[in-house]
Amino acid sequence: MADARVEQVREVIIGMRPVYTDTGNATELWLPSGEVLVDRRGVKAGVVALARSYAVDLKAQRQQLGQLFQRSGGVLPFYLGRRVFVPVKMRKAVTKNDMVYGYLDADCISDIKGGKFRQCRVLLKTGQELEALSSPATAQQSWYLGLSLLKELEGDAQEARDEQQIMASVLALCRGLKEMARRLERIEEHIAEAEFAYHYNREEPGN
């Protein structure tokens, strides 16, 4: 697998999987084409770098999501724009501080199937398949949480579009009223000029 940095494929990445390599912790970068690249940084560093490339404050986002889902602990999803990445347990830790969770784009998951004891298979819309080290119920809960967040984000986007449409209509109305006011002013000026000419002509000697 070729090396890459997550920032280089930020627009198309659909999954980040923690792996061990001959140089230590690394992250597989899963792409919609089926290609898998390797970022030599661990998942934590990769997620931070990915969020930084979008100027996203992960700490503030986590607090926001904790309030939204009424959860004070545990591994939460994160989002970048309208993409939501959900946590899935993908490996066993070798050392205490090893990251065992990876992340998948919630919208790219097609199904979750049962597997061995406390394991399941996550099926992606790209045709790829991933073994998860959690029960189907746990993986599905994470997926559904991500889909709920995605719905919230799409709702916010629709509200924003509605607000933009309303503002555009208001601005168009304002422009129309201003133009109407200018035309009325010109009409009033013409009327005033006509009245002045009429009275002036009547007051002239011989009329």
Side-chain angles (χ1 to χ4, degrees):
M1 289 182 283
D3 287 356
R5 295 176 75 84
V6 68
E7 301 95 318
Q8 297 172 315
V9 293
R10 67 176 196 170
E11 299 293 338
V12 294
I13 188 170
I14 63 172
M16 301 177 69
R17 180 185 183 187
V19 293
Y20 295 110
T21 67
D22 54 354
T23 59
N25 278 304
T27 304
E28 287 184 352
L29 309 176
W30 289 39
L31 308 181
S33 62
E35 185 179 8
V36 178
L37 306 174
V38 176
D39 189 324
R40 294 296 170 177
R41 297 169 294 184
V43 168
K44 285 183 180 180
V47 169
V48 170
L50 180 59
R52 187 185 298 120
S53 72
Y54 284 98
V56 171
D57 185 340
L58 284 176
K59 184 177 180 180
Q61 188 184 101
R62 181 177 174 80
Q63 292 175 345
Q64 176 195 35
L65 294 180
Q67 293 174 354
L68 177 64
F69 295 117
Q70 298 181 344
R71 291 176 58 176
S72 58
V75 184
L76 291 171
F78 69 92
Y79 64 91
L80 303 169
R82 298 292 172 259
R83 290 185 298 163
V84 177
F85 292 85
V86 296
V88 177
K89 189 175 182 181
M90 299 182 183
R91 70 173 180 181
K92 294 180 180 179
V94 173
T95 63
K96 183 179 180 181
N97 295 322
D98 284 348
M99 183 70 167
V100 297
Y101 285 89
Y103 292 88
L104 295 172
D105 186 333
D107 197 44
C108 291
I109 299 174
S110 63
D111 201 0
I112 295 176
K113 301 288 188 180
K116 299 177 182 178
F117 179 66
R118 291 185 179 177
Q119 295 184 20
C120 63
R121 294 179 296 122
V122 181
L123 310 182
L124 304 182
K125 294 177 181 179
T126 59
Q128 295 160 289
E129 183 176 315
L130 182 141
E131 293 290 334
L133 302 183
S134 59
S135 68
T138 300
Q140 286 171 350
Q141 183 182 28
S142 182
W143 181 27
Y144 295 156
L145 190 68
L147 293 178
S148 297
L149 175 56
L150 183 60
K151 184 178 294 185
E152 289 285 337
L153 294 173
E154 289 175 344
D156 289 344
Q158 182 59 51
E159 288 178 7
R161 285 193 293 270
D162 291 343
E163 289 177 3
Q164 290 174 354
Q165 290 174 354
I166 291 170
M167 287 302 298
S169 298
V170 170
L171 290 173
L173 178 60
C174 288
R175 286 193 294 267
L177 291 174
K178 287 180 179 178
E179 179 61 26
M180 187 181 297
R182 284 195 293 267
R183 291 182 179 179
L184 288 174
E185 286 178 1
R186 288 197 293 269
I187 292 172
E188 289 175 354
E189 289 174 358
H190 291 318
I191 292 174
E193 290 174 359
E195 288 181 346
F196 175 79
Y198 172 75
H199 290 297
Y200 179 79
N201 291 332
R202 287 192 60 186
E203 292 173 359
E204 281 188 350
N207 287 340

